[in-house]
Amino acid sequence: ADPLPAVLRLSALDLLKYIHPALSAGEDARRRFEEAARAIHWYELLYTGEVIQRWQVYFLCLTAEMDDDAMDGICSRLAIPSRYRALFCAARRDDHATLARLERRRSREAPQESELYRFLSPCPAELLLYLMARCGSEKIRRWISHFVTHLRDVAVCLDGNDLKQLGIPPGPRYKEILAALLDARLNGRVATREDERTWVRKRYLRAPSG
């Protein structure tokens, strides 16, 4: 339930290097583990019905300072199954880039809801909790919390059949329209199914001039 004492004991005995030479457990690691415990507890109290893999969050916290090559090496050394390696390598790398984007926004206005959704929607729950533990900003934690509680499950009501009924010919354009419609819903410009139909008509079915 609380892996931090065991990790600190391994560090005190100078044993982490036998897992990987780049591993360490200093004050930054202690802070990440403590923040991860808070984030996991918060998430589980949401009662989403989604079971999270706690060990994945803590493993990400332990290896947070390792570069991509070192992370790939530790996955090989520990024979981590391939179904997890994508999370620990490629998805982790993408998450670090996402966190860097959020850090750049921290001193400016908050991202729009649709922008926050685009940043965070690819992230599994374990990576979202890792980001909350890794970042040093309460503002960014609030943004991630807001995404989880208010934005992550937002979806549009219309689908391709509705667009066809509105008179829009089927094709790749449907993906573009539905993505723009989702942005409109996230940003509060539409709230109901009829709002969505009206929005699509105005934007994509304007009567030709003349």
Side-chain angles (χ1 to χ4, degrees), residues 158 161-170 173-174 177 196-209:
L158 302 188
N161 290 328
D162 295 297
L163 298 183
K164 186 175 181 180
Q165 290 174 8
L166 286 169
I168 300 173
R173 196 182 183 200
Y174 276 16
I177 294 171
E196 291 185 5
R197 292 172 66 89
T198 300
W199 186 89
V200 170
R201 287 193 194 98
K202 287 181 178 179
R203 184 158 178 169
Y204 297 99
L205 293 172
R206 292 174 180 168
S209 59

Side-chain angles (χ1 to χ4, degrees), residues 27-46:
E27 283 304 310
D28 287 344
R30 181 194 294 268
R31 181 194 62 80
R32 283 193 298 270
F33 271 74
E34 291 171 350
E35 290 294 342
R38 285 179 53 198
I40 289 169
H41 181 65
W42 164 79
Y43 189 84
E44 290 178 340
L45 286 178
L46 295 177

Side-chain angles (χ1 to χ4, degrees), residues 174-207:
Y174 276 16
K175 183 177 180 180
E176 170 199 334
I177 294 171
L178 292 174
L181 183 57
L182 177 59
D183 283 354
R185 179 172 277 275
L186 287 164
N187 292 331
R189 293 196 292 270
V190 299
T192 66
R193 184 182 186 87
E194 190 52 41
D195 288 344
E196 291 185 5
R197 292 172 66 89
T198 300
W199 186 89
V200 170
R201 287 193 194 98
K202 287 181 178 179
R203 184 158 178 169
Y204 297 99
L205 293 172
R206 292 174 180 168

